[in-house]
Amino acid sequence: MVEINDNQNSGDMNEMIDVNSVSEDGNENVNKNMSVSSNYNDLTDIDWQRSEDGSYSPSSYINRDLSLLQFHLRVLAQASSSRHPLLERLFFLIIFSSNIDEFFEIRVAGIMQKLNLGDVVSSPHGMRPSEVLAELSAVTHEAIDKQYRILNEDILPALAKEDIRYLKRDELNAEQSAWMKRYFTEQVSPVLTPISIDPAHPFPRLVNKSLNFIATLEGKDAFGRDINLAIVPAPRSLPRVIRLPDELTGGKEHHVMLSAVIHEHIGELFPGMNVTGCHQFRLTRNADLDLADDVDDIAKALEGELENRRFGDKVRLEVTTDCPTPISDYLLNEFELHDNQLYRVNGPVNLTRLLFDFNIPKLRYQPFTHIVPKPFRRELDKLDKSTSIFSAMRKGDVLVHHPFHAFSPIINLLWEAASDPKVLAIKQTLYRSGTNSEIVKALAAAARNGKEVTAVIELRARFDEASNIAVANFLQEAGAVVVYGIVGYKTHAKLMLIVRREDDRIRRYVHLGTGNYHAANAKVYTDYGLFSADPDISEDVHKIFQELTGMGKPANLKKLLHAPFTLHEKLMSFIDDEIAHAKAGKRAHIIIKVNALTERRLIDKLYDASQAGVKIELILRSMCCLRPQVKGLSENITVRSVIGRFLEHTRIYYFYNDGDERLYCGSADWMDRNLFHRVEVAFPIEDKKLFKQIYQDGLLNYLQDNVQAWALNGDGIWQQIQPAADEAPHIAQDHLLRVINHVGEPV
C-alpha cells in the first residue's frame, strides 16, 4: 500500500507504488526489487536528526492523516481479494465508502479549518496544511477511481453471475419499465420537491451527504418564466435501492437504483418543459461538533450542534463521470470548492446505501456459534441448572474474547443483577448504545426494581450523539441516575460495577473491556472483556465512578492505570524499565496491539528503546506516525496491521520486564486524545492462564499472520505480507475461529 513520506510532495507520486495495481488474489503489487514475505525488508536510510533536547526531527514521523488514509486503502484492498466471499467483498467496498465519508467529514474538514487559520506547520511531521491536503487529494482521487473499477469490472459482473443485479435503465424490459413508472408515480413523485434556480429561489441549502439531482431545462414554466436549472433533492425516506417484484424477475435478486428511477422520469416533474440533462451529485460537509468546554448543559448544547452538523462547511463534491464540465463548474462555484475537491465517480455517488446482506450462504463468510466461556455455562448434568454468574466470578477471573466468545454473559450478568434482591447498586459507562439495547433495558429494569443505577453516558461519541441522548432520557425515565462524565474529557473507559450484599458484607463485581457495550459491535469487533471479583480492582473501579460522578482529587488506584492521570506516565516508565534491562545486557521486549499510535512522547520513547536494543513489535490497525526499520532510529521496531473478517479492536500492552512480565488490556489507544483528553482505563491480567491466553491468541497469533497482515517500512510504504516458500499460510482470525469456535479446517 502507499504510505506518503513526510518529505514527499505530489510530484513524487510516480516513484511510489501504484495503488491501482492489484493482483488477482487482491494483493497489492510492489516494486520488483522489494521482497514480499513474512520477513521485513532491509532497513531504510532517511535523514533524521536528534536535537540536544532529545527531540527528533520532523522526518522521523509519518503524518497521521496520510497514515489513516492508508488504512482505508488496506480496507479497500479486501474488496479485490478472492480470499473473501463475494458479498463480503462488496461489504468491504461499502465500508470503504463509509470510511472515506467520515474521513472527509472529520479529518479533511479539520485540516481545511487549520489552513483557514494560516498555512503553518503545527504537527511533528513538519508538513503544512496545504501540503497535507494536496497529498490527500492525490491519493484519494486514485483510490476512488480504483474503488469504482473494482465495483464495475469485478464485483458487479461476479454478482450478475449469481443472479444479483443492479439494473440500469436501458437493461429493463418493457414490463419492468412499466412497473418502474408506476413506482415513480405512486411512491417517489409525491415526496419529491423540485426547486427552480431563479431570483426568487436561490440555490437550496442541501443536507450533508444527501443525494441530489441538477436538471437543465428548456421552455417556460407555468408563470411564463425562462428557467434553465432546477435542483431535485432525493428525500432520505426513500430507499436508495429498490427490489423488483418476483413476478418480474422470476424471484431473482434484481434491483434498480433510486437515482435511475428519478433520472428516467424527471421530466414528469416539469410538465410542459424539456429536460435536457439530469445529473446526480452529493455534497460532503464538515460534520465535526464544536462544543465549548464551559457549557451549562451538555445534552442541550449537543442537540443544537447536531442540527449544525447537517449544514457544516463544504469539503467535497461528488458527481458522475458523465456530468458536463459546465455543470460541475457551476456546482463547484456555488459551493465555493476547488477543482481538486471534485470527485467524478463511475456509478452511484453513494455506495454506502448499496444492498449487500442477501441470504446466500455460499457468498458469505461461514457462520459460527459464539462460545460461552466454560465458567458461565450451565452444566446439564448438574441438578442445579441455574448457576449464578456471581458464584462463577467469585471462583476466579473470567475472560471473554469477542466475537469468538458470546456477548451474552455481559447481558446475563446485568439481568441477573437487575432481579437479584442482594444487589444494591449497578454502575456502568456507556459510550455507544441504543434504547433497544439489552444492556440499556436491563439497567432500566434494575432501576425500576429499586436498585441504585448510575449510568455514565458519553453523549459525544461521534455520530452516536442523538442515540446516546435518547438512552439518557430512557434511563432517567426509569429512575436511573444519569451523568454525562466530565466536560472536556470524553468518558471512553468500559466499566461495569455491581454492588451486592453477601452474608452481612459488601462484595463488588466488575466487568472491564476494550470495546463498547454494544451487542452488534461485539459480533464484528475483536475485543477482550474481563469479569472479576478481585477486591483491589473492584475498589479501583468504585473510585473511578466516584471521580466521574462527584468531585475531588484523582483517585489513588492500586491496580488500574487511569487516563488522563497515570496511564501515560506508567507506559513511559514501563518502556524505561525495558531500556534499563537492555542496557544491562538483559532480554528486553515490548509488544503493543492498539488501533493507532500517534502520541509523540511515546513514539520518541520507543525510538529511545529501539536504540537501546529493546525488541519492539507493534500491531496497529490504522494510524502509525512512527517510522519503523530506520537505520539508527528504529532498527529494532516492526509494525504490522491485520485487516480481515473482523475489525481489530483489542488493546493489549505487553512488557517482558526481566521475566516479571506485565500485560494490560484497556480502552485506550496510544493517541494524544486517549491519554490526555479522555477517561480511559487499562487493567492488568494477573491470572496466569488468562495471561497465557491473551499472550498467545491476542499477540503471538497476530505476529504469525502471513496472509492478512501488512508490514510498514521505514519509508512509509505498507506491503501485504505473503508466506515464504517454506511457510504455511497463517491467518490470525481464522486460527481463532478454529481453536475457539471449531470453524473450518486448517489452512
Side-chain angles (χ1 to χ4, degrees), residues 401-466:
H401 189 179
H402 306 301
F404 315 100
H405 288 134
F407 190 71
S408 56
I410 299 171
I411 297 172
N412 293 342
L413 174 60
L414 272 178
W415 278 115
E416 185 172 329
S419 60
D420 187 343
K422 294 183 180 181
V423 170
L424 306 178
I426 304 173
K427 299 182 181 183
Q428 184 163 1
T429 60
L430 293 174
Y431 192 73
R432 298 189 189 276
S433 191
T435 54
N436 291 325
S437 163
E438 285 292 313
I439 293 281
V440 175
K441 291 177 181 177
L443 290 173
R448 295 189 189 101
N449 290 340
K451 316 298 182 187
E452 294 297 323
V453 175
T454 303
V456 181
I457 300 179
E458 181 46 72
L459 297 181
R460 293 162 293 177
R462 185 176 290 152
F463 298 119
D464 280 315
E465 298 92 348

Side-chain angles (χ1 to χ4, degrees), residues 3 22 113 132 189 208 222 256 387 392 409 420 425 454-455 472 485 506-507:
E3 178 63 77
V22 182
Q113 287 181 326
V132 177
S189 180
N208 181 34
V256 292
T387 304
D420 187 343
T454 303
I506 295 296
R507 185 189 291 269

Side-chain angles (χ1 to χ4, degrees), residues 364-391:
R364 308 303 305 269
Y365 288 128
Q366 184 177 350
F368 65 95
T369 301
H370 302 271
I371 301 299
V372 174
K374 188 174 181 180
F376 291 151
R377 297 177 200 167
R378 304 292 197 260
E379 299 294 343
L380 298 180
D381 59 344
K382 291 184 179 180
L383 294 177
D384 182 8
K385 295 184 176 62
S386 60
T387 304
S388 168
I389 293 181
F390 295 116
S391 65

Side-chain angles (χ1 to χ4, degrees), residues 8 29 72 148 242 339 375 440 465 518 536 585 657 666 668 682 720 729:
Q8 286 178 318
N29 291 331
H72 298 325
Y148 281 85
I242 302 131
D339 288 343
V440 175
E465 298 92 348
H518 194 293
D536 290 340
N657 193 35
Q720 187 161 6

